[in-house]
């Protein structure tokens, strides 16, 4: 390997990184040490903030294998740098599972290795293994790949399901356990809560706090203790609040994982013994025994014997118990390599609660440990919370750029002060202090506290409406959301399903729908028997528990479920079945009404269950009715799947039409089927039969129609978001037609809009991947299906229509989404732009969709109830969880209201907080510049502002105004306009620049005017301009009497102090914008009272001087005429500032230039019909666009560019019944699908 060569680790994964190797260099280290001493420790701080400089400055490149220090850089858009120390450990083999390979020739059956065997192997020469740790993950050097690799667990061996049963089912001996523990470490998700001292050091070393420390030291040298104390006080409160929040989050996370971090477990040893051990000692390959009363899983393990009922709410957010079955040991399924993702229903995940176990007599429920520690599913979740990606928001990037500009301005002032002071022979100490002072004036140390205030107020308002936030910086992001993805079940619709009715099939045709399944006439029917027995319900502490759909279906029958006790199971050798039966009074009535049924038993024992599989979309049971010799099988699942497994003559001819009519109305439809099994089948034989043999040649029984009601708030909220120009999507795991129906019902897709289903199939045999485009029928006109379809197909295909009339939405299934992302990358962005319904989406696909939408510059919000949405909630710019379960710890926002009304509330508060941030930032920037201008002008006459003048401005004006201007609540409704996302944007820069120029003009004006007054003289303690007539004044510049060496008291200082004080207030009021994002400022009474109070005080001391106040503020007495002149100048200054802000920025620039640019893709009216003023507007807009270099400028955001491309594409959207093949991107017309 070449020295200095870069390698990629975690290739293709989310945390992919580049890695370089370094070794220490003595001469570089000595040079850096000297630099640190000479810079007074500042170089050390710089190297702490920039780890790449620290490594490159003290080390030289070397190969990764020989490296002492490793430099890591993420490959994502953030390009973060990290440093890691390389370590060496000694081990008998190179890899954790090498021992299995080595012992293949000398092992006992079923991997039963003896202690002596391993003892001999371990006596060989130990091998040196290089490794490093980063973000709680260990990376080991691999000589074969010449790179660092991670070891996750048993999956690394790529073992088959049958291989787990044959090679890993008997457990490990102690030697092998100890060896594997070298690589995998202790089995714990160690969330170390840092000490307050460590957190404090990390917080204090923030660049802003270092700058504040520098400012405080400088002000103390100038005896400016009061403001220094105020800044220290604010910083202490800010640091204390931050430390409290961080510590609280660490403690919360620590408590969340502590429940299962250390528990006692029973472990099978290689010699078939069972030993007690601590869960921290577990390693991949260990076999643990799951106790009958359940446990909280301390690791990820795959079930090899028995069945478990598990509550997985910690991971999925879904509190419904899930049944886990043992891993297949024979047949085709067992030959497949084990994968946690594919074999989820056989895997017990870390942190999930095993409620109870099911087992055969004398057999233990066993599971093989697959992953431990941070490699587990829960460990990965905790890692993502401990080490989150940085918040990428333009506001913060621009804020740093803006501060750099201010630093540049400060640099000019710094040089100007030094040159001026040297020319005037000022002492060196004064030059240093005054030149550094200009930097602290230009870059305000109070800026972080002022910026945080708005977010803190917004967080408090959100808390009042039941929205809790664990990542306050994301509140500003919510203000920029322009797309929100919604989960369907539990978010847009009610959580549970209600039984709408049943429709039985008899003699190959459907009976009329029936609303009640518990009627006496149906008790003896196979349909009700199927409803009562075909489910995975169980009793936990006397309460029925299981899938909500199964619960509703079973409760609709009115039957009773009885389970055998542990004693009964132990007493009888065969497995005691779960029994379902109707209530006794129903049986008596049924027997009276139907004499033929008197000898018939209604009790049904469930002999075997085949659990629901999302891949197969069905579940089945084998049952025996009490007293009957044969067994029956019942099948329940997706109607299309069930119908395909039934005898064709039993499926009604109107099956497809009936099913579509229900799904189009938004009903969830499940089909039932039945089969009488051969009487020769014994109880034990059924236990070993594969489900494929049973789930065939069924008789179709009918349909169960479930209703998923839309929440009453849903439609109104979606309408409000649409009116606010915020796009909405549905991302669900439910059926496609049901999802489209719900999208129409809640207004996501409007009545006149067309839905195009993109149905993709992967390549098969020699056929390439293809997308079929289906145009759905409009439910508004369903009298004649055929004519409707033809009309819609023609309408949608008419390319001559204006773009706004060609309203269409794409609907994509999870299967199609996978095919499109893999085989049609050129269509991904086009589909993402117009797709509204994503159905049958897996959890990782939801996350992938969010990333695709972000890649085309959407600011994405995700709203879900926590079920399967964790990844997407974390990945979105703003994730809002409607679940208060532990899974919501991954979501930045959690709402206590279980409907989507929290979304507009959050966006409104986000917009208000964002505008507040802009207002405060602009105000603080103007405050710095105004004070900078005043000080620079006074430096020219070797003067400055007095300490108490600085104090009055900084505390009485700036701090009070900055903290009260942030209190404006959000505007009561969402408007079409979005707030700007960038500080470096035309309108905002124009606003700041015009105000700076206005303030500069009026300050220079009064500075020059005061020197032109007839009464003006160089001020001395004997000067008394107030009491001397302006006509009798003589210039007495030769008076030589001792006065303040700082030269604070003079007419220029007093004049500039008055003018600048009013300028601070006027820019505060101008920048404190209200509508359309915040309530008007006059409703913010603390701000209004502060402004009125300060205006009154300043006018009072200006027109009616009070000697005590003048003495305190070090201002001198000036003639009354000059005071009146200053009031006039103040009024003119304020009026000019208001006019420039409102006329130029709000009216001319926004409406004609920037707004026009935003809506550049909209069709414009024809010139012939345009009114004269509209023509003038267009002329003005064109001229200003040319002036600001915005003419024909393409949109900055990618989704707008894609929209403009599609507008000019005659082949988009694809026509009805066309097929797009992966071999070429052209559409080919095929036969009607």
């Amino acid at each position: 390997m070449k020295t200095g060569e870069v390698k990629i680790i975690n290739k293709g994964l989310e945390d992919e990184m580049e890695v370089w190797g370094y070794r220490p260099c003595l001469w570089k280290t000595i040079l850096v040490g000297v630099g640190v001493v000479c810079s007074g420790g500042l170089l050390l701080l710089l190297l702490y903030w920039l780890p790449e400089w620290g490594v490159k400055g003290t080390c030289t490149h070397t190969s990764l294998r020989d490296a002492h220090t490793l430099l890591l850089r993420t490959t994502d858009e953030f390009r973060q740098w990290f440093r890691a120390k390389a370590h060496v450990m000694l081990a008998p083999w190179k890899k954790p599972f090498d021992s299995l390979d080595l012992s293949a020739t000398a092992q006992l059956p079923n991997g039963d290795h003896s202690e002596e065997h391993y003892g001999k192997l371990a006596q060989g020469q130990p091998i040196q293994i290089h490794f490093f740790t980063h973000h709680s993950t260990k990376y080991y050097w691999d000589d074969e790949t010449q790179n660092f690799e991670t070891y996750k667990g048993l999956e690394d061996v790529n073992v088959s399901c049958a291989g787990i049963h044959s090679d890993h089912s008997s457990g490990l001996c102690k030697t092998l356990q100890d060896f594997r523990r070298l690589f995998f470490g202790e089995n714990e998700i160690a969330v170390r809560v840092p000490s307050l001292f460590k957190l404090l050091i990390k917080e204090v070393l923030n660049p802003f706090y270092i700058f504040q420390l520098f400012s405080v030291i400088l002000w103390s040298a100038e005896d400016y203790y009061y403001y220094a104390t105020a800044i220290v006080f604010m910083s202490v409160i800010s640091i204390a609040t931050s430390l409290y929040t961080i510590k609280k989050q660490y403690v919360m996370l620590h408590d969340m994982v502590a429940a299962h971090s250390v528990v006692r477990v029973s472990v099978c040893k290689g010699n078939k013994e069972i030993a007690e051990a601590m869960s921290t000692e577990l390693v991949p390959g260990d076999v643990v025994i799951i106790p009958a009363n359940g446990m909280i899983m301390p690791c990820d393990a795959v079930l090899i014997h028995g069945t478990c009922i598990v509550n997985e709410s910690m991971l999925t957010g879904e509190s419904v118990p899930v049944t886990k079955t043992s891993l297949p040991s024979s047949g085709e399924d067992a030959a497949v390599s084990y994968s946690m993702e594919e074999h989820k229903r056989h895997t017990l995940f870390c942190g999930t609660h095993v409620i109870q176990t099911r087992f055969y007599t004398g057999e233990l429920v066993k599971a093989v440990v697959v992953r431990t520690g941070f490699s587990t599913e829960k460990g990965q979740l905790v890692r993502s919370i401990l080490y989150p990606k940085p918040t990428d928001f333009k506001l913060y990037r621009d804020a740093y750029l803006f501060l750099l500009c201010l630093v540049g301005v400060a640099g000019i002032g710094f040089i100007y002060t030094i040159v001026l002071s040297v020319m005037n022979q000022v002492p060196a100490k004064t030059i240093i202090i005054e030149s550094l002072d200009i930097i602290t004036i230009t870059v305000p140390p109070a800026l972080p506290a002022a910026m945080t205030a708005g977010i803190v107020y917004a967080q408090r308002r959100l808390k009042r409406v039941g929205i809790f936030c664990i990542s306050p910086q994301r509140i500003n992001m919510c203000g920029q959301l322009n797309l929100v993805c919604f989960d369907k079940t539990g978010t847009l619709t009610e959580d549970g399903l209600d039984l709408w009715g049943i429709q039985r099939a008899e003699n190959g045709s459907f009976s009329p729908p029936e609303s009640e399944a518990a009627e006496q006439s149906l008790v003896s029917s196979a349909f009700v028997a199927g409803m009562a027995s075909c489910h995975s319900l169980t009793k936990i502490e006397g309460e029925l528990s299981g899938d909500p759909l199964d619960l509703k279906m079973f409760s609709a029958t009115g039957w009773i479920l009885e389970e055998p006790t542990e004693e009964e199971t132990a007493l009888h050798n065969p497995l005691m079945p779960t029994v379902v039966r109707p209530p006794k009074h129903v049986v008596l009535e049924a027997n009276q009404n139907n004499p033929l049924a008197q000898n018939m038993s209604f009790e049904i024992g469930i002999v075997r269950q085949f659990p629901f599989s999302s891949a197969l979309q069905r579940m089945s049971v084998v049952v025996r009715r009490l007293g009957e010799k044969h067994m029956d099988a019942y099948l329940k699942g997706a109607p299309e799947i069930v119908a395909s497994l039934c005898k064709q003559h039993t499926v009604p001819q109107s099956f497809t039409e009936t099913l579509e009519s229900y799904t189009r109305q938004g009903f969830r439809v499940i089909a039932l089927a039945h089969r009488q099994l051969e009487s020769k089948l014994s109880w034990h034989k059924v236990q070993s039969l594969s489900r494929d043999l049973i789930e065939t040649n069924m008789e179709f029984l009918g349909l169960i129609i479930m209703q998923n009601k839309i929440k009453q708030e849903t439609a109104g909220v979606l309408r409000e978001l649409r009116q606010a120009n915020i796009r909405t999507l549905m991302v669900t795991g439910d059926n496609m037609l049901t999802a489209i129906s719900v999208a129409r019902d809640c207004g996501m897709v409007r009545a006149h809009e067309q839905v195009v289903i993109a149905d993709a199939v992967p390549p098969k045999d020699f056929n390439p991947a293809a997308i079929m485009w289906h145009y759905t029928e409009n439910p508004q006109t369903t009298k004649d299906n055929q004519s409707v379809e033809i009309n819609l197909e023609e309408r949608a295909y008419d390319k001559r229509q204006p773009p706004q009339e060609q309203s269409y939405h794409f609907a994509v299934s999870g299967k199609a989404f996978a095919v499109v992302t893999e085989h049609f990358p050129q269509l991904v962005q086009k589909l993402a732009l117009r797709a509204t319904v994503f159905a049958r989406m897996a959890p990782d696909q939801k996350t992938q969709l969010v990333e695709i939408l972000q890649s085309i510059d959407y600011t994405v919000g995700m709203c879900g109830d926590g079920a399967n949405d964790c990844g997407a909630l974390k990945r979105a710019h703003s994730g809002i969880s409607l679940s208060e379960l532990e899974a919501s710890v991954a979501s930045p926002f959690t709402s206590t209201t279980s409907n989507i009304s929290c979304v507009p509330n959050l966006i409104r508060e986000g917009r208000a907080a964002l505008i507040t941030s802009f207002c405060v930032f602009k105000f603080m920037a103007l405050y710095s510049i105004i004070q900078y201008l005043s000080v620079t002008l006074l430096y020219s006459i070797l003067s400055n502002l007095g300490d108490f003048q600085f104090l009055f401005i900084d505390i009485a004006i700036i701090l009070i105004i900055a903290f009260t201007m942030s209190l404006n609540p959000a505007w009561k409704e969402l408007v079409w306009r979005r707030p700007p996302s960038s500080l470096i944007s035309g309108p905002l820069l124009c606003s700041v620049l015009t105000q700076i120029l206005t303030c500069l003009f009026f300050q220079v004006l009064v500075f020059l005017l005061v020197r032109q007054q007839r009464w003006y003289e160089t001020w001395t303690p004997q000067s008394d301009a107030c009491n001397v007539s302006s006509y009798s004044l003589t210039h007495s510049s030769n008076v030589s009497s001792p006065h303040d060496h700082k030269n604070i008291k003079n007419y220029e200082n007093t004049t500039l102090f008055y003018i600048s004080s009013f300028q601070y207030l006027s820019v505060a009021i101008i920048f404190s914008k209200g509508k359309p994002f915040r309530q008007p400022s006059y409703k913010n009474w603390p701000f209004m009272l502060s402004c009125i109070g300060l205006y009154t005080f300043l006018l009072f001391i200006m027109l009616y001087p009070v000697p005590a106040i003048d003495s305190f503020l070090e201002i001198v007495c000036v003639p009354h005429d000059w005071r009146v002149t200053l009031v006039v100048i103040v009024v003119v200054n304020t009026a000019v500032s208001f006019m420039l802000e409102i006329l130029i920025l709000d009216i001319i620039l926004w409406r004609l230039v920037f707004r026009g640019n935003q809506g550049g893709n909209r069709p414009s009216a024809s010139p012939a019909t345009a009114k004269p003023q509209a023509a003038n507007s267009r002329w003005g807009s064109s001229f200003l666009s040319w002036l600001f270099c915005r003419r024909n400028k393409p949109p900055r955001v990618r989704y707008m560019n894609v929209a403009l491309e599609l507008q000019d594409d005659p082949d988009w959207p694809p026509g009805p019944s066309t097929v797009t093949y992966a071999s070429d991107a052209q559409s080919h017309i095929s036969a009607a699908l």
Side-chain angles (χ1 to χ4, degrees), residues 45 48-49 82 135 194-210 239 242-243 246 250 386-388:
L45 267 177
Y48 169 77
W49 292 330
F82 301 97
H135 285 179
S195 66
L196 275 173
F197 180 73
K198 270 188 180 177
L199 288 174
L200 179 67
I201 295 297
K202 193 175 179 182
E203 192 70 19
V204 166
L205 292 180
N206 183 301
F208 263 120
Y209 290 125
I210 296 296
I239 290 169
S242 186
L243 288 183
I246 295 167
Y250 269 113
L386 276 175
Y387 313 105

Side-chain angles (χ1 to χ4, degrees), residues 383-418:
R383 267 188 77 226
S384 69
I385 298 166
L386 276 175
Y387 313 105
K389 279 194 172 186
T391 309
D392 178 36
F393 193 40
K394 219 167 182 311
L395 172 69
Y396 305 123
R397 278 182 284 153
D398 290 347
Y400 283 111
L401 281 173
F402 211 94
L403 283 174
L404 281 174
C405 296
L406 290 177
V407 169
V409 171
I412 296 166
F414 181 79
I415 295 162
Y416 164 79
T417 307
I418 292 172

Side-chain angles (χ1 to χ4, degrees), residues 246-292:
I246 295 167
K247 182 90 173 175
K248 189 179 171 185
Q249 284 184 4
Y250 269 113
V251 170
M252 188 175 83
L253 202 55
H254 178 269
D255 292 347
M256 189 183 93
V257 299
H260 60 86
S261 56
V262 183
V263 291
R264 290 200 75 82
V265 289
S266 299
V267 182
C268 295
K269 295 292 180 184
N271 50 12
K272 294 188 178 178
E273 285 181 14
I274 294 170
E276 290 281 310
M278 298 307 292
S279 60
T280 49
E281 296 170 13
L282 293 175
V283 293
D286 267 330
V287 176
V288 292
I289 292 162
I290 314 294

Side-chain angles (χ1 to χ4, degrees), residues 986 1148-1160 1176-1194:
I1148 297 174
L1149 285 180
W1150 180 260
R1151 291 190 182 174
L1152 294 182
V1153 183
F1154 302 106
R1155 189 176 169 189
N1157 178 262
Q1158 279 192 340
N1176 291 338
S1177 285
R1178 277 201 304 278
W1179 178 85
S1181 176
S1182 301
F1183 172 72
L1184 286 167
S1185 294
W1186 171 81
L1187 188 68
F1188 283 88
C1189 309
R1190 295 175 76 92
R1191 194 152 178 79
N1192 298 325
K1193 198 173 179 182

Side-chain angles (χ1 to χ4, degrees), residues 212 216 227-237:
Q212 284 182 339
V216 166
Y227 189 58
T229 308
I231 286 293
V232 168
F233 178 70
M234 279 196 306
S235 298
V236 167
I237 290 175

Side-chain angles (χ1 to χ4, degrees), residues 250-562:
Y250 269 113
V251 170
M252 188 175 83
L253 202 55
H254 178 269
D255 292 347
M256 189 183 93
V257 299
H260 60 86
S261 56
V262 183
V263 291
R264 290 200 75 82
V265 289
S266 299
V267 182
C268 295
K269 295 292 180 184
N271 50 12
K272 294 188 178 178
E273 285 181 14
I274 294 170
E276 290 281 310
M278 298 307 292
S279 60
T280 49
E281 296 170 13
L282 293 175
V283 293
D286 267 330
V287 176
V288 292
I289 292 162
I290 314 294
N293 58 347
M295 66 187 292
I296 292 175
M297 288 301 296
C299 57
D300 288 352
V302 61
L303 208 55
I304 53 168
H305 288 303
T307 307
C308 290
I309 294 159
V310 187
N311 182 343
E312 292 190 327
S313 63
M314 198 302 113
L315 285 181
T316 64
E318 197 141 3
S319 54
V320 176
V322 181
T323 302
K324 302 278 182 171
T325 55
S326 58
L327 196 69
S329 58
S330 57
E332 283 181 28
D333 291 343
V336 181
S337 289
Y338 171 75
S339 156
M340 273 177 69
E341 188 58 42
E342 286 177 32
H343 298 94
K344 258 185 183 172
R345 56 205 173 93
H346 310 298
T347 307
L348 305 169
F349 293 104
C350 177
T352 60
H353 184 198
V354 178
I355 302 165
Q356 59 178 225
T357 61
R358 298 279 175 82
F359 50 88
Y360 293 95
T361 310
E363 285 208 33
L364 296 169
V365 178
K366 293 180 184 179
V368 176
V369 176
V370 179
R371 290 185 186 181
T372 58
F374 276 101
S375 297
T376 62
E377 284 285 302
K378 184 164 185 177
Q380 298 287 7
L381 173 64
V382 173
R383 267 188 77 226
S384 69
I385 298 166
L386 276 175
Y387 313 105
K389 279 194 172 186
T391 309
D392 178 36
F393 193 40
K394 219 167 182 311
L395 172 69
Y396 305 123
R397 278 182 284 153
D398 290 347
Y400 283 111
L401 281 173
F402 211 94
L403 283 174
L404 281 174
C405 296
L406 290 177
V407 169
V409 171
I412 296 166
F414 181 79
I415 295 162
Y416 164 79
T417 307
I418 292 172
V419 171
L420 197 70
S421 302
V422 169
M423 286 169 65
N424 287 286
Q425 297 178 344
V426 174
K429 184 188 173 187
T430 310
I431 293 175
I432 292 167
I433 288 174
E434 288 194 344
S435 54
L436 290 173
D437 198 26
I438 205 97
I439 295 172
T440 65
I441 287 168
T442 318
V443 183
L447 181 63
M451 289 281 282
T452 307
I455 294 172
V456 171
Y457 297 148
Q459 195 173 357
R460 199 185 300 159
R461 287 195 297 268
L462 284 171
K463 199 171 181 179
R464 263 185 240 133
V465 293
I467 299 169
F468 296 91
C469 172
I470 61 166
S471 178
Q473 296 302 324
R474 289 195 185 238
I475 295 174
N476 275 339
M477 276 192 170
C478 297
Q480 272 298 307
L481 291 182
N482 51 14
L483 183 148
V484 184
C485 302
F486 292 98
D487 178 40
K488 183 181 79 70
T489 310
T491 305
L492 298 174
T493 62
E494 295 291 350
D495 212 349
L497 291 158
D498 294 314
L499 184 78
W500 180 84
I502 59 172
Q503 190 158 13
R504 293 185 297 144
E506 290 175 344
N507 304 322
S509 63
F510 280 119
S511 305
E514 296 161 278
S515 59
E516 289 291 327
E519 287 183 12
Q520 293 167 17
S521 57
L522 297 175
V523 172
S524 57
S525 68
F527 192 93
V528 169
M531 282 179 74
S533 59
C534 193
H535 52 71
S536 56
L537 298 178
T538 184
K539 274 196 171 176
I540 297 169
E541 294 175 4
E543 288 288 316
L544 262 184
S545 186
D547 186 272
L549 188 144
D550 285 351
L551 276 170
K552 286 280 180 188
M553 186 181 77
F554 183 73
S555 61
T557 63
W559 284 39
I560 297 162
L561 181 137
E562 292 173 347

Side-chain angles (χ1 to χ4, degrees), residues 955-1000:
I955 292 180
I957 298 180
I958 303 306
L959 286 188
I960 291 174
I961 293 296
F963 283 103
T964 56
M965 78 189 296
S966 305
L967 285 166
N968 288 38
W971 185 244
K972 54 185 175 288
E973 59 188 41
L974 280 177
V975 294
W976 185 85
R977 257 171 70 181
R978 266 191 303 277
S981 61
S982 169
L983 276 168
I984 316 295
S985 66
L988 288 169
L989 285 178
C990 284
S991 170
V992 170
L993 287 172
T994 51
Q995 294 305 321
I996 288 173
L997 292 172
T998 307
C999 294
L1000 174 65

